Structure formats: C-alpha cells, structure tokens
Amino acid sequence: VHSQVVGDGYNNSLIYKIQSDTNTVYILGSIHVLAEEYYPLTRSFSYAYYNSQKVIFEIDPEILFSPDSFLKYEKQYTFQNGKTLETVLSPKTYTLVKQKLKSIGGDIQEVKKYKPWVLYLTLSERFDSSVDFRPELGIENHFYRMAKDSGKPTGGLESMQDQLDVFDTLPPPIQDALLQESLAITGSKEREKAFLHMVKAWHQGRLDGLEQLVETFKTYPLFYKKLLVQRNQNWIPQIEAFLKEDKNVLVIVGAAHLAGQDGLIALLTDKGYQLERVSYAMP
C-alpha cells in the first residue's frame, strides 16, 4: 500500500513526537484541502495514526462534519440587522465579489446575507489550479474516516464557536481588506502560488517553507494574532495534559500552526519539551 517513493532527502512528514513518562504525543501538521495525487500517504503518517489510541483535531470532526452544525451558527455568519454585503463592503470589494461569483456560475443575490469573512473563507480557496484540491481529500477528513471506521475516539482542541470567533471578531475594514486582496487578480494568483508553495513545503516536510506563509499573515497583525498566536497558546496546556495520559495521542492541526516563533514547535521547545521528528526511515 505504501508505495510512494520518497527520494532525495525528503523527510516527507511534518510529524513530531514528544515522549513523556506515561505516553507519546504525536503532533501532525496537516493540509485541510488536498488532491488525489498526494495519496497514499507515506509510512510515517500511518505509523503515528496506528500507534495512537486517540486522535485530536482542531475541532472534533463529529461536530465539524455533522450536517446541522452550520445551521446552528447561522446567526453568527449572516447579517441580522438589515445590513447586506453591498451596504458593508467597499464598492471595489463588492465588484470583485460579483465578478468572482459570476466566473464560477454563482450570483451575488445568493450570498448577500453572508458576512465578508465567510466569503473570504469560501471564495479565496477556489483556485484555478489544474490540480483538484478538495476538503474531502484533506488530512483531517482522511484520518477522521479511518478513526470512525475503526472506532478510535476523536476529540477537538477548540469548539466551532472558538473558530468562528477568530473571523467574526475581525473589524469590518480588515474583513474587507482580506477579501479584496484575495480576490484581486494579482491577489488570487499570488494566493494560488503561495498555496501551492505551501503544499510543496508540506509534502517535502520543510518547516522553513511554511514559515514564509506564516510571515504573510503578519500583514494584518490582528488577524495573525487571532488566527495563529492566540490559538497556539490555547492549545499548549491541552497538549501538556495529553502528555499525562497513559495512552498515546495523535494531534492533527493545520501545518501553519507548527511554524515560526509563535508556532507550536517553538512554544513546546521553549517549555523544555524534547521534540523528535518522526521520519519515514525511522518511525
């Protein structure tokens, strides 16, 4: 099954392990949307999964993938006070949204009740790339299906509410700027290039390649703080608690959370933990 060739110095897995007196905790950097060609995953991924008795995600997939979870939060991602996209966005950004929707066969009328950050999340991930990247092929979905099939327990580091708050508490001008930047022609090309660059760095297991991505978030310091810094800090005590358990735990978070001086690897190292890379050659 694991026939993927790993050549030329690829360590090919952004997976780290910490051993405590009682167990091992694996931290796996994931990509949320992937393509067929990245499967099968290499041996290190399977090893970390099969050697863990519990899999923890950013949000427990039982909640994330349940059909009614989004309906439950409709008040949070739609306008409630008579505002619409048109009244909230700058004219330039509104025009860009209209153009983008038209190019993918959508209509602005269908989305006028959604807040700008919702469109930022949904539209900015639609690339023209020849490779078909899809959420159902993402790392989270892959391991969640495996865990569900085998009855392995899953959990989450944060709630759906926590994750929505990251975006919903951004001031409207920042939401507008993020959306505009991601939809402007140069912006969308840049984003696509940055995304493919990130996937390549991830596939080659290069943390430094992901640090470049993390740097780009710093253009909007508040966004960077909410998206990465605060969440990483919130996750550290939970990872420390996992290290006191007697069964092994696999923690799967977006690869960007591992990189940089505010990343999980740096934060855990600063706290004195010994992190070891799980490599293809030596699990």
Side-chain angles (χ1 to χ4, degrees):
V1 180
H2 303 292
S3 56
Q4 193 167 335
V5 178
V6 182
D8 203 22
Y10 280 32
N11 182 4
N12 81 312
S13 53
L14 275 175
I15 309 173
Y16 292 79
K17 66 176 180 182
I18 309 174
Q19 273 164 313
S20 74
D21 295 339
T22 56
N23 74 345
T24 301
V25 171
Y26 295 93
I27 301 173
L28 189 162
S30 75
I31 300 282
H32 304 316
V33 292
L34 265 183
E36 289 281 2
E37 63 195 55
Y38 291 91
Y39 291 91
L41 297 170
T42 44
R43 199 177 67 175
S44 341
F45 288 93
S46 320
Y47 183 87
Y49 170 79
Y50 286 114
N51 202 31
S52 298
Q53 284 74 53
K54 183 163 72 176
V55 190
I56 303 290
F57 300 83
E58 291 183 17
I59 298 179
D60 189 343
E62 290 288 339
I63 299 166
L64 188 61
F65 297 130
S66 87
D68 58 348
S69 70
F70 278 100
L71 288 170
K72 216 165 84 182
Y73 294 99
E74 195 174 11
K75 275 196 167 61
Q76 185 138 18
Y77 59 80
T78 56
F79 293 115
Q80 299 298 317
N81 43 13
K83 291 179 179 173
T84 66
L85 259 188
E86 191 167 11
T87 63
V88 169
L89 289 179
S90 64
K92 183 181 176 185
T93 308
Y94 187 70
T95 305
L96 286 168
V97 172
K98 259 200 316 209
Q99 287 168 346
K100 178 73 172 181
L101 284 166
K102 200 173 166 188
S103 75
I104 56 176
D107 179 2
I108 193 91
Q109 291 308 313
E110 295 163 10
V111 301
K112 62 181 183 192
K113 65 173 184 176
Y114 294 113
K115 294 178 180 175
W117 61 265
V118 179
L119 292 173
Y120 168 72
L121 290 179
T122 47
L123 293 179
S124 60
E125 295 220 319
R126 311 260 322 218
F127 296 125
D128 307 326
S129 163
S130 57
V131 182
D132 190 14
F133 287 95
R134 304 202 300 280
E136 58 270 27
L137 291 169
I139 293 292
E140 281 79 9
N141 223 316
H142 175 76
F143 283 113
Y144 173 54
R145 283 197 309 271
M146 285 175 71
K148 203 159 172 59
D149 288 348
S150 62
K152 196 173 275 200
T154 59
L157 294 166
E158 57 191 18
S159 68
M160 193 85 166
Q161 188 67 55
D162 295 330
Q163 205 157 75
L164 292 175
D165 281 344
V166 168
F167 298 96
D168 199 35
T169 56
L170 289 170
I174 293 185
Q175 293 186 37
D176 190 295
L178 284 166
L179 184 56
Q180 183 179 126
E181 188 185 53
S182 69
L183 295 181
I185 296 299
T186 53
S188 57
K189 281 274 168 275
E190 281 302 304
R191 272 185 79 83
E192 184 166 348
K193 220 167 79 179
F195 172 73
L196 294 171
H197 188 78
M198 170 189 78
V199 175
K200 188 177 179 184
W202 170 82
H203 193 234
Q204 295 176 354
R206 290 188 300 107
L207 204 54
D208 59 342
L210 291 165
E211 284 181 4
Q212 293 167 10
L213 171 79
V214 169
E215 282 302 312
T216 63
F217 288 127
K218 293 184 180 174
T219 320
Y220 302 100
L222 183 67
F223 183 45
Y224 173 68
K225 191 174 152 192
K226 284 177 182 291
L227 184 72
L228 292 176
V229 182
Q230 287 173 346
R231 293 167 74 209
N232 290 348
Q233 288 168 351
N234 291 342
W235 296 347
I236 294 292
Q238 298 184 65
I239 292 170
E240 293 188 290
F242 296 144
L243 285 161
K244 295 188 172 72
E245 296 185 12
D246 53 2
K247 293 190 166 72
N248 295 349
V249 182
L250 169 61
V251 178
I252 300 179
V253 295
H257 289 282
L258 269 50
Q261 80 268 30
D262 297 306
L264 292 176
I265 304 305
L267 292 175
L268 287 161
T269 305
D270 290 347
K271 287 196 128 227
Y273 292 103
Q274 294 286 318
L275 279 84
E276 200 182 325
R277 186 79 173 258
V278 177
S279 81
Y280 178 74
M282 219 179 62

